[in-house]
Amino acid sequence: MMNLDTIRELYEYSAWANTRILQAAARLNVEQLMQAPLSGLGSIHSILAHTLGAERVWLRRWRGDSPIAMLQPGDVPTLAALQTLWNESAQELHAFLGSLQQADLDAVIAYHTLSGQPMAEQLGRMLLHVVNHGTQHRSECAALLTAFGQSPGDLDFIIFLRQHPQR
């Protein structure tokens, strides 16, 4: 059985780790943000836009909407624009998580994929998916940031727990 407090804690961790990535990205110049030095990864800017876009799509699905388009890097052409939207989205996500009850995690949410295919899944599983998806893309950004000499530092969950003992 999933635990709502644990899911909320994972989202707190995710927000902390996102902040570390965004702070490190802010130390890059525009060329570095837009550069795709490793085959298949895209730029830091495009990875961040994708990660934020996915969070926004999933939140809309959880609220009963099925968006047909995802946020594109051009929709947030600068890191400042991306950070502003990320902050707004983080507040919406925090409010949504705060509104949940334990029983809500078992609710099955019907939605459509971006291509229109109908799907349905338990809310708790979708919440875990989004955290895991963010972890994947933060690791990609961390590798690129480190290659540019701007490591975000340790992103381990245990480090978050040690730095936030009174959560």
Side-chain angles (χ1 to χ4, degrees):
M1 176 178 182
M2 282 183 237
N3 180 290
L4 182 56
D5 289 336
T6 300
I7 288 176
R8 286 178 177 146
E9 183 174 58
L10 287 171
Y11 274 84
E12 287 176 35
Y13 158 72
S14 189
W16 170 85
N18 287 341
T19 297
R20 292 182 67 119
I21 291 291
L22 290 166
Q23 287 172 342
R27 296 190 297 263
L28 299 178
N29 62 44
V30 173
E31 180 181 304
Q32 292 168 319
L33 280 170
M34 302 301 179
Q35 202 174 70
L38 299 176
S39 178
L41 282 189
S43 69
I44 291 169
H45 182 259
S46 66
I47 295 168
L48 291 172
H50 169 79
T51 305
L52 175 59
E55 284 185 9
R56 292 170 55 83
V57 163
W58 283 104
L59 181 58
R60 287 182 60 192
R61 288 173 177 162
W62 302 333
R63 290 179 168 165
D65 186 17
S66 287
I68 58 170
M70 182 109 146
L71 180 75
Q72 297 298 311
D75 298 331
V76 283
T78 65
L79 185 61
L82 186 106
Q83 287 177 309
T84 297
L85 188 57
W86 209 308
N87 291 339
E88 292 170 12
S89 293
Q91 290 174 8
E92 290 178 45
L93 183 58
H94 182 75
F96 176 78
L97 292 169
S99 74
L100 295 177
Q101 302 294 317
Q102 180 64 40
D104 294 331
L105 298 181
D106 295 327
V108 174
I109 307 288
Y111 66 95
H112 290 84
T113 64
L114 295 175
S115 63
Q117 182 178 2
M119 295 284 180
E121 186 59 69
Q122 283 181 326
L123 176 60
R125 289 180 176 183
M126 290 190 280
L127 287 163
L128 290 175
H129 162 72
V130 171
V131 169
N132 189 58
H133 180 261
T135 298
Q136 173 189 339
H137 292 304
R138 279 191 302 273
S139 69
E140 293 169 350
C141 283
L144 292 170
L145 287 162
T146 300
F148 287 124
Q150 297 299 330
S151 172
D154 199 335
L155 298 175
D156 286 343
F157 181 63
I158 197 72
I159 301 302
F160 165 76
L161 294 174
R162 290 175 187 154
Q163 290 181 3
H164 299 87
Q166 302 300 321
R167 290 168 324 287

